[in-house]
């Protein structure tokens, strides 16, 4: 399993980014894909998840209405559109998949910094 995130960066408050996670090594279309984030000194937290098939989504309360998770099963890629960014959204964002044995796989993360 390999997960490679991209798309992070430095943005001003109110700005937007589109994070991407390219997946390989497993049958992407069969698995729930998730985005987590970890801010300095804090625990890693679930941001959003998307199932397949069907595309049903789930969001943390702190990002509802601002973040959108989506997936392209043809490209083995999951996205996180992050809008109306706040300084408290600053974190390393990680892509995640969990296998049937409940083993978690993570990418290397992509840094999102929200600052003026």
């Amino acid at each position: 399993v390999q997960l490679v995130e991209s798309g992070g960066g430095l943005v001003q408050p109110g700005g937007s980014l589109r994070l991407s996670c390219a997946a390989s090594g497993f049958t992407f279309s069969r698995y729930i894909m998730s985005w987590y984030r970890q801010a300095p000194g804090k625990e890693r937290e679930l941001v959003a998840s998307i199932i397949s098939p069907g595309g049903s989504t789930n969001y943390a309360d702190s990002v509802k209405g601002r973040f959108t998770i989506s997936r392209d099963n043809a490209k083995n890629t999951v996205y996180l559109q992050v809008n109306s960014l706040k300084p408290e959204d600053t974190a390393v964002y990680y892509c995640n998949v969990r296998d049937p044995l409940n083993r978690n796989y993570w990418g290397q993360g992509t840094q999102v910094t929200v600052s003026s």
Side-chain angles (χ1 to χ4, degrees):
V1 174
Q2 187 173 18
L3 302 171
V4 180
E5 301 96 335
S6 61
L10 172 64
V11 295
Q12 294 185 343
S16 298
L17 289 170
R18 190 192 195 201
L19 310 183
S20 299
C21 171
S24 60
F26 63 102
T27 307
F28 179 81
S29 61
R30 296 183 182 176
Y31 289 89
I32 296 171
M33 296 299 299
S34 300
W35 285 95
Y36 284 73
R37 67 184 181 185
Q38 188 167 19
K42 295 188 176 181
E43 293 186 356
R44 195 170 295 190
E45 64 173 350
L46 177 64
V47 174
S49 295
I50 184 167
I51 69 170
S52 179
S56 180
T57 58
N58 183 59
Y59 296 93
D61 287 343
S62 58
V63 307
K64 282 181 181 176
R66 300 188 298 120
F67 291 11
T68 303
I69 188 171
S70 61
R71 64 191 298 159
D72 185 337
N73 288 345
K75 295 183 178 180
N76 286 3
T77 301
V78 60
Y79 305 97
L80 187 67
Q81 179 69 40
V82 296
N83 298 330
S84 303
L85 283 163
K86 305 175 182 180
E88 52 264 42
D89 295 318
T90 295
V92 179
Y93 284 71
Y94 296 92
C95 184
N96 167 271
V97 65
R98 184 176 300 173
D99 74 10
L101 297 178
N102 269 339
R103 294 176 298 194
N104 282 297
Y105 296 89
W106 304 93
Q108 82 286 353
T110 186
Q111 176 72 47
V112 173
T113 303
V114 185
S115 175
S116 54

